[in-house]
Amino acid sequence: MDTSIVVPLHAHSAAALASDAQQPEPRPSDRLASRSRTARKPAAPATHAASRDEVARLQARVRELAAELTRTQEATRRQVAHELHDSVGAELTAARFALAGIETWLPADAPAQCATALATAQRSLDAVTEAAQHAVADLHAPTLDKGIVNALSHWTHSFAARTGLRMSFVCAADARLTRLSADASLAVFRVAQEALNNVAKHARAAGADMRIETTPTHLSIVVSDDGIGIPPHAGQDERQFGLAGMRARCNAFDGELRIAAASARQPRGTTVQARFAWKALLGNASRPRARRTAIRL
């Protein structure tokens, strides 16, 4: 005869209830350990995906703001260049004619100091005119029809002639450099231009070297000088050295700006490295093997 007892799965037997009643109360340390194990559980995949999406959204917003900043800077450059060329240029021309008239009207027995003063004023006026012309040239967007390498080669040549600095320009022969858009080429050019202008204004250097380097993922502009090194207060006011604008142009193309002061390997000077991501510059482009060639100025 079958003597087994069938207990429904949803019911609790008296023995089970008694067993539960005899279980000791969990200690506080056990509860803490249980909570710790629960806290260490890996986050759900959906949470990771949401975090990645948020990071991507923020990075895209940074790129948008950086691009807007560079567009504003270029508009300001055009406006200042226009004012210098038209308004300041016209005033300088008027002053030049006025000085020429005074020199003509001076009597033959005029004191020698008058002629000396006029010559000094003329030299000062010539210096201001030349400085204004250089400023207008720097402010205007460069001609990029023949590519970024050609534009930088010509500009560094004129920079060396104007400043008297020894210059070298070394460029990676990478086919992707010929496929840069106008906006990308302008960003690369402006960063290199600002870096070299800082050398002329602040470094007290005898020479500077500029390199265009490429990797499968990045294009880099590297500018090194043999001057006194970056001032300690440079990071406090980046506007004085144009660093804020340089960073913005790098950020607009998923890049970054690095500044290295003197070190054991480089006892003097400063090195500026501006990196731009190829993916942002070109999209999904092919990645040909790069080789080096040097142009000595």
Side-chain angles (χ1 to χ4, degrees), residues 49-250:
S51 299
R52 288 194 298 269
D53 291 344
E54 181 65 14
V55 169
R57 187 186 68 80
L58 292 175
Q59 289 175 337
R61 183 56 177 159
V62 168
R63 290 194 298 271
E64 290 174 1
L65 293 174
E68 181 62 29
L69 175 60
T70 57
R71 285 192 292 270
T72 302
Q73 288 177 331
E74 287 300 322
T76 303
R77 283 174 175 268
R78 287 192 297 271
Q79 181 179 359
V80 173
H82 179 77
E83 291 295 326
L84 282 175
H85 183 270
D86 293 351
S87 301
V88 177
E91 294 298 331
L92 290 173
T93 301
R96 188 184 299 278
F97 278 111
L99 287 177
I102 293 174
E103 186 176 11
T104 301
W105 299 329
L106 279 178
D109 59 347
Q113 291 87 342
C114 292
T116 302
L118 282 174
T120 301
Q122 188 65 51
R123 286 194 300 270
S124 298
L125 189 60
D126 290 342
V128 172
T129 301
E130 185 179 5
Q133 290 172 346
H134 288 320
V136 170
D138 285 348
L139 289 168
H140 272 304
T143 301
L144 298 167
D145 296 342
K146 296 183 179 179
I148 183 62
V149 177
N150 182 273
L152 284 177
S153 177
H154 280 81
W155 193 84
T156 51
H157 183 83
S158 64
F159 174 83
R162 185 171 73 248
T163 61
L165 290 173
R166 173 197 55 78
M167 280 291 307
S168 69
F169 177 40
V170 179
C171 178
D174 192 317
R176 290 172 295 182
L177 291 168
T178 65
R179 299 200 298 271
L180 291 178
S181 66
D183 288 343
S185 295
L186 184 59
V188 173
F189 181 91
R190 288 301 192 199
V191 170
Q193 182 185 44
E194 191 63 46
L196 285 177
N197 281 336
N198 279 337
V199 173
K201 293 176 184 176
H202 309 292
R204 304 180 197 171
D209 303 309
M210 183 167 70
R211 305 190 307 273
I212 298 180
E213 299 179 346
T214 62
T215 69
T217 57
H218 288 88
L219 178 155
S220 295
I221 294 288
V222 183
V223 176
S224 302
D225 66 72
D226 59 1
I228 60 174
I230 188 169
H233 62 280
Q236 299 174 9
D237 187 5
E238 292 193 338
R239 293 171 298 178
Q240 180 182 356
F241 300 93
L243 300 182
M246 295 166 72
R247 292 188 194 280
R249 293 182 190 278
C250 292

Side-chain angles (χ1 to χ4, degrees), residues 1-5:
M1 183 177 68
D2 187 1
T3 58
S4 62
I5 301 173

